[in-house]
Amino acid sequence: MDSINQQQPEHNHEDLQQADAVKKIQELAGKTNTCFFSTKLRAATVPATRPMAVQEVDDAGNFWFLSANDSNKNQELQEDNQVQLLFQGSAHSDFLSVVGTATISTDKARIHELWNPILKAWFTEGEDDPRITVIKVAVQNGYYWDNKHGNAVALVKTAIGAAIGQTLDDSIEGKLAV
């Protein structure tokens, strides 16, 4: 099984835990400020997935979002607070999938810390809009796939591998345990 990875002449799997996992989460999530935020994971239907802007990834690996209290997402989180966040930093690398538990609060101090003026497009009354809630996603675990040396090196290695008929790619992947 996993014959492609077994053909690799170099190490391409590394599971990360605690501080190393948080660092990788911050690195990959930091390449884009948008993820796919999925709810209703345990439902008999397809999970509800929508793009969300990440306001912060803290030093514990928690994700922070601002959301409207009357949104479908907030209602779904009231029923089941298990979520999945999916990130793609570029077309060929920087992939991250995490699962965790979401909590909703109306902490005004935290709203102030996370506030960005562009959010007024959704919260028209500004930072004091009564609809604003904070969603914290406490990550339980995840999986990542990245390039070890960047996209340019990965492209060259893949091209050489194709030319000589050998699996050469620059990928690294593994489980994340926070």
Side-chain angles (χ1 to χ4, degrees):
M1 180 122 180
D2 200 18
S3 62
I4 291 175
N5 283 333
Q6 291 174 0
Q7 295 175 40
Q8 297 284 354
E10 56 186 88
H11 176 74
N12 70 338
H13 188 97
E14 184 176 8
D15 294 338
L16 303 174
Q17 296 180 11
Q18 282 102 22
D20 291 333
V22 170
K23 182 178 175 184
K24 182 57 80 174
I25 287 169
Q26 289 175 318
E27 173 193 339
L28 295 177
K31 300 211 176 177
T32 177
N33 70 339
T34 304
C35 70
F36 286 105
F37 189 113
S38 298
T39 56
K40 299 174 71 173
L41 302 181
R42 296 184 236 194
T45 61
V46 173
T49 303
R50 76 280 290 153
M52 287 287 293
V54 176
Q55 300 305 311
E56 180 184 346
V57 182
D58 67 23
D59 290 338
N62 298 309
F63 287 86
W64 296 87
F65 302 87
L66 294 180
S67 180
N69 62 7
D70 59 352
S71 69
N72 290 331
K73 172 185 10 49
N74 281 41
Q75 301 309 312
E76 291 159 4
L77 291 174
Q78 300 285 337
E79 297 167 19
D80 180 0
N81 66 350
Q82 296 300 299
V83 300
Q84 180 178 27
L85 309 178
L86 301 163
F87 294 84
Q88 181 175 351
S90 75
H92 304 287
S93 66
D94 311 314
F95 300 102
L96 174 65
S97 171
V98 295
V99 293
T101 304
T103 55
I104 301 171
S105 78
T106 55
D107 181 341
K108 295 296 182 192
R110 195 66 178 125
I111 291 169
H112 177 74
E113 292 170 358
L114 298 173
W115 181 256
N116 182 319
I118 195 71
L119 294 168
K120 196 168 181 186
W122 293 274
F123 303 107
T124 55
E125 295 181 41
E127 186 178 333
D128 295 320
D129 192 311
R131 296 175 302 121
I132 300 177
T133 63
V134 176
I135 297 175
K136 172 187 173 185
V137 175
V139 173
Q140 295 159 338
N141 56 59
Y143 202 85
Y144 75 97
W145 185 90
D146 199 8
N147 290 327
K148 291 179 267 190
H149 302 102
N151 288 340
V153 171
L155 177 62
V156 169
K157 287 172 92 172
T158 301
I160 291 170
I164 65 173
Q166 183 178 356
T167 301
L168 298 175
D169 83 33
D170 197 51
S171 67
I172 184 81
E173 62 184 300
K175 296 175 186 176
L176 299 165
V178 178

